[in-house]
Amino acid sequence: MTTHRAPLTNHHADGSTCPPEHKHTVTGKPLHPDCLGRDHSRAVCTCGNWQFQCPVKGQVTEHRRRHLATHQAPAPAPGPLVRDALPFNMR
């Protein structure tokens, strides 16, 4: 099974990518002197069928987490219980 990723990136108002070394306050105001401030965050999945963009970084993170969960393989069915495997007269 292919492992999909949906990296989260921050963007300035002009559409340029805000580098990871540019730190922000929770509201997106810049803490780096050369930063314009975070305008929005975006996540794009490697599956090619999903992307999400929003000014609220936490919302992008939540939608990203939910989308990536759809790519998880279903859990294997549990094996038979020992009591079900025993012959009828041994119960």
Side-chain angles (χ1 to χ4, degrees):
M1 180 174 157
T2 305
T3 302
H4 291 283
R5 297 176 55 244
L8 186 135
T9 54
N10 296 315
H11 297 267
H12 299 129
D14 65 0
S16 62
T17 303
C18 189
E21 59 270 9
H22 287 188
K23 301 299 178 193
H24 307 92
T25 63
V26 177
T27 60
K29 292 180 182 173
L31 295 174
H32 190 276
D34 297 330
C35 185
L36 303 172
R38 180 179 68 229
D39 181 65
H40 62 275
S41 296
R42 179 185 303 155
V44 179
C45 185
T46 56
C47 72
N49 296 325
W50 182 88
Q51 69 175 2
F52 188 79
Q53 176 178 314
C54 182
V56 182
K57 184 178 179 181
Q59 194 169 6
V60 176
T61 301
E62 179 64 19
H63 282 270
R64 176 184 168 273
R65 184 187 63 78
R66 288 180 185 205
H67 173 74
L68 289 174
T70 66
H71 291 301
Q72 298 298 319
L81 297 174
V82 173
R83 68 175 169 84
D84 294 337
L86 294 174
F88 182 73
N89 61 356
M90 293 187 72
R91 289 187 186 176

